[in-house]
Every structure is written in C-alpha cells, then in structure tokens.
Amino acid sequence: MANDPRFPAGFLWGAATSAHQVEGGNRRNDWWRFEQRPGVVRGGRGSGDACGHYGRFDADFALAAADGHNAHRLSLEWSRIEPDRGRIDACAVAHYHDVFASLKRHRIVPVVTLHHFTNPLWIADAGGWESRATVDRYADFVRFCAREFGGEVDWWCTVNEPEVFAFRGWSEGIWPPGVRDDSRALEVIANQLEAHGRAFHVLHAEDRADADGDGIAARVGFAKHYVQLEALRAWHPLDRLQALLERRVFVEAIEQATSEGVVDLSIPGAKRVKRVLPELEGALDYYGLNYYTRWRVRSLAAVPHVATPGALLNDLGWEVWPDGLRRALLAAGRFGKPVLVTENGVADAHDTIRPGALLAFAGAMHAAIAQGVDVRGYLHWSLLDNFEWSDGWHGRFGLYAVDPGDPALTRTRRRSAEVLARLARANAITDAVREAAAH
Ligand code: FCB
C-alpha cells in the first residue's frame, strides 16, 4: 500500500454541506433568529438566501458529478420537515425526495446528517438541547426520516460535532442560544450523545431498505470534530495540564461514550455530568471524522487557544497541518470501526493554499490507510462557499466560489475542484493530481 498510490476500491470522494449553510431561507430555525441580533455574525450578513441551493441542488450535484464525486454529505433541515411539533410539511419531504433522486441520477451516494447545529424554533423554545425531552423529540424525527428516506439513504450521521455545538452555544455563547455556562454546556453534550445512542437503534430498527445494494441497509455514525490540542509551551506544566483536560472532555470523553456506554464529562468549575447509557455502548458503525486544525493551548491566558507560531494559516487563522489528519485517523482507527472523513477543508478565498493542502491531506489519509486504518472515504468541506455561522461569509471553504452579494449566486470553479476531481477520478494520488495542485 505504501508505494501504491491508489485508495481502496469503492472509496467515497465528494463534498460535505449542511442545510442552513447552503439552502437559504431557513427562517424557522434558531440560527435564523439568532442571526437577526446585531453583532453576532461577522460582517453582519446572515445566511439569507445562502447559496440558493434549495432551488439549485440539481445543478450543484451536476457540478459534483462532473468532478467525479461519488458521495455527498448533506443535512436534512428539521425545521423544514417538522416546522411545528408533530406537523410534517409534505412539500419539504417531497423536496428531499427530489434531492435524493437527483443524487441517484448523478450516481452520488448520500451521507445524511440528521442534526447539524440548527433546531426548529419550537424545539429551541421548549428548552432546546438542555432539555432531555429534546432527545425524545429528536428520536421521533429520526424515526420519521428513517421510514421516509430509508429506501434512499444508507449512510446516516446522527449528530454533527456535539462538543462544538455545546461549547459554542452554551460556554462561549457565540452561537444560539448565547449562554455562557460550562455546566449547561456539559448537559447539552450529554443529551446529544444520548440522542445519538437513541438514533442509532431507531435507524437500525426502521431503515431496513438497502439503498445501494451492498447488503447493508443502515450505517450509523456521528461526526466528531477532531481538533488537535497541544501545549503551547511543551515545558510548561500548566499548559500541558490544560491541554490534557481539554483533550479529555473534547475528544476522549466523547469517544468513551460510544465505546463504553458511559458519559462522564467534567471541566474545572463546572458540574460533572455522569450517565450510564447502555444503548450507547458500541453504538457506532463508523467514526465520522471532521478534521481542520491544531490549537496550541496556553494556561491562564485570556485567549487560551493560539495557532502554532510561524505555521501556515488559513483565512480564519487556523493552522493548516495535514499530518494532524493522519494522526487523527490513527486515533479514530483505534476503535476498530471504519472511519469516514466527514469534513476537512481550508478557508481560503483566493485558493492559494487549498490545492496544495488538499494534496497533502490526501497524502496523510493515504499514509493512515497504509498504517492500517480502515478509511472509507473523504468528504471535503465544502462544495460551495457558504454561510460560516458566526464567521458569516468570511470563511470561504468552497471548491466553487459563491459571492452572496451576487444576485445570480454564480458558482465559479476553483483550482481545488480540479485537484479533488483528479483524485476522485483516479482514486489515487497520481502525477496529474500533483500537477493540478502545483499550478
Ligand atoms: C465544522 C462544521 C461545519 C463548518 C466547518 C468549517 O465545525 O461542522 O458546519 O462550519 O466547521
């Protein structure tokens, strides 16, 4: 394998998106409402029409298919499907059937996320993810989706980055609901993990239809934000201790929940959350890995995370460190489950760093496979420049550029799209890939 440039047969190549970031007009969720508050979104421009993907999905999938993508990650917008508690919107359901039919026509396998940060207003207003009742409501939604879309979907991703969702919304307070309370953040993580466990069993019970004919009707995982956390000053005991504590809650506790069925979350100054949840034990068919960067941790500082001094940074100031992907894959591989890269990308409006980074990320993935990790695919974040949450339109992650100020929302192909296209078509790191990355 080490000298063979190929990836395993059947490797999935494609892009990842989420509904609120690309669809446009998602007015009935908590993010839309939050965006209306002054100062919460950098630059002041909210999601608005986003990329207009709700109406243009077919043309967008045609771009992906022309680039050789054979997989695509998207999320179902709960607030569209169930705008009020218990009321299913038939138009929204028909829309997502059209989306899956379009993907099928383009020979693209869907990887479907059931919760990607946004919540219907009726959920947010009934206590949101601090309330355990939300776990029940979410399980009902998952059951509906499994029955309705199970014939079109095999790859399910239950929740996206429970730890990012919780810390941004309930600890840093920069995402909805804008709370700053670590104890409440830990409760939210626990509820999301519990929701994952419930969803795992619901999906296996309800989705018995094998959409792609490989003999498996449902593959269920979550997407874990795998951030590399290392002490800024390796010699400094407090930096090291803080990095260790952060790794513990941010990475290890999440993994432990699904391997052992025990949720045990603590951070200094917050109320510990401990739950024994047998339904979580082993509740993972694949490990969905989102990898972007490494943060250096410094103790007793107002800004506790900084980039490695002198490192290559993307437009958002995140270090571009491809070997971190190899390491993350090795760590994820320890669980003995297949790993799917559910997100990886670079915010780079001018596409100067991304082509080379993509090649390096592919190399890192290839090296991890050679080291024995069962990696099933790579979904690049993202197909299009999109609404980047509190960073607004400042993080440009697209293989295709989209200017939200352009009334036509034109898609402009970046060189990175060609790099990924060559990787996908050859299913290997060839000279043609290197050439596209170098120009
Ligand atoms: C991840 C999110 C995704 C996107 C990327 C850049 O944490 O899952 O929605 O914002 O970061």
Side-chain angles (χ1 to χ4, degrees):
M1 176 77 204
N3 297 320
D4 180 346
R6 283 174 302 179
F7 285 84
F11 202 76
L12 300 176
W13 291 100
T17 60
S18 88
H20 190 69
Q21 294 177 273
V22 294
E23 285 181 349
N26 277 322
R27 294 167 173 269
R28 304 191 68 143
N29 70 31
D30 54 350
W31 252 98
W32 182 282
R33 182 168 63 190
F34 189 72
E35 288 162 33
Q36 313 311 313
R37 293 193 201 170
V40 297
V41 173
R42 189 172 164 194
R45 184 191 282 273
S47 58
D49 292 334
C51 309
H53 179 72
Y54 198 78
R56 301 179 183 207
F57 62 87
D58 194 54
D60 289 337
F61 298 152
L63 295 175
D67 284 343
H69 297 195
N70 61 6
H72 184 77
R73 178 173 174 229
L74 59 100
S75 72
L76 297 175
E77 178 59 31
W78 187 0
S79 67
R80 284 191 189 270
I81 293 177
E82 192 180 2
D84 301 300
R85 183 174 171 187
R87 182 171 74 79
I88 296 296
D89 183 313
C91 290
V93 173
H95 166 83
Y96 288 113
H97 280 301
D98 290 346
V99 164
F100 294 131
S102 165
L103 286 169
K104 191 169 181 182
R105 266 198 315 279
H106 289 107
R107 297 176 188 281
I108 296 176
V109 171
V111 176
V112 176
T113 311
L114 291 154
H115 187 271
H116 197 123
F117 298 157
T118 57
N119 299 290
L121 288 172
W122 61 270
I123 283 284
D125 292 342
W129 283 90
E130 281 182 66
S131 160
R132 273 175 112 163
T134 292
V135 178
D136 297 328
R137 301 290 87 78
Y138 169 78
D140 293 341
F141 171 66
V142 172
R143 185 171 301 105
F144 174 82
C145 293
R147 288 181 182 166
E148 187 68 36
F149 302 114
E152 291 133 297
V153 179
D154 287 347
W155 287 87
W156 297 100
C157 177
T158 56
V159 288
N160 183 64
E161 302 184 343
E163 61 296 321
V164 173
F165 173 68
F167 282 119
R168 292 253 192 266
W170 281 266
S171 170
E172 295 167 45
I174 60 169
W175 288 5
V179 171
R180 295 176 65 110
D181 181 332
D182 285 345
S183 301
R184 288 162 72 180
L186 297 185
E187 283 291 334
V188 169
I189 300 180
N191 286 338
Q192 283 240 312
L193 290 170
E194 194 163 336
H196 165 77
R198 293 274 290 281
F200 179 87
H201 295 286
V202 167
L203 288 161
H204 277 294
E206 302 286 351
D207 176 5
R208 298 300 179 106
D210 176 10
D212 60 10
D214 68 352
I216 297 173
R219 301 173 190 268
V220 186
F222 56 31
K224 169 86 196 77
H225 187 90
Y226 201 103
V227 63
Q228 301 285 3
L229 293 160
E230 287 175 22
L232 175 65
R233 298 158 294 187
W235 51 268
H236 198 299
L238 287 181
D239 284 9
R240 284 169 50 184
L241 177 66
Q242 191 166 327
L244 190 117
L245 290 174
E246 288 190 11
R247 271 201 302 273
R248 164 81 205 127
V249 67
F250 207 82
V251 180
E252 287 155 22
I254 310 292
E255 296 177 338
Q256 181 195 10
T258 49
S259 57
E260 294 169 23
V262 177
V263 175
D264 188 359
L265 304 163
S266 55
I267 29 182
K271 195 163 160 267
R272 178 175 179 193
V273 179
K274 184 152 187 193
R275 291 186 202 167
V276 178
L277 300 167
E279 73 269 26
L280 253 180
E281 191 179 337
L284 208 61
D285 297 324
Y286 71 92
Y287 186 127
L289 183 89
N290 293 358
Y291 172 76
Y292 289 91
T293 193
R294 156 169 66 184
W295 289 109
R296 299 286 182 173
V297 178
R298 54 179 177 182
S299 51
L300 311 171
V303 180
H305 296 141
V306 291
T308 305
L312 178 66
L313 305 183
N314 78 9
D315 291 349
L316 294 174
W318 307 356
E319 177 181 0
V320 179
W321 188 46
D323 195 50
L325 175 60
R326 184 186 61 84
R327 294 176 194 220
L329 287 167
L330 288 179
R334 281 197 323 260
F335 290 86
K337 309 278 183 186
V339 185
L340 178 66
V341 178
T342 35
E343 286 180 31
N344 167 248
V346 184
D348 182 20
H350 301 294
D351 207 34
T352 45
I353 301 174
R354 191 186 294 103
L358 235 168
L359 172 65
F361 282 125
M365 209 163 43
H366 192 267
I369 296 169
Q371 287 177 265
V373 186
D374 179 7
V375 187
R376 297 293 173 92
Y378 175 82
L379 300 166
H380 187 78
W381 186 273
S382 187
L383 184 63
L384 309 167
D385 286 345
N386 60 49
F387 174 68
E388 205 29 71
W389 310 115
S390 48
D391 284 313
W393 293 86
H394 283 262
R396 299 291 177 105
F397 282 92
L399 296 167
Y400 286 79
V402 178
D403 174 0
D406 163 15
L409 292 170
T410 310
R411 278 64 169 143
T412 306
R413 193 168 190 260
R414 291 194 169 113
R415 187 155 54 88
S416 295
E418 181 61 22
V419 178
L420 187 60
R422 292 185 186 192
L423 276 164
R425 288 195 204 108
N427 195 32
I429 303 176
T430 59
D431 287 342
V433 175
R434 281 189 207 94
E435 225 167 77
H439 278 295

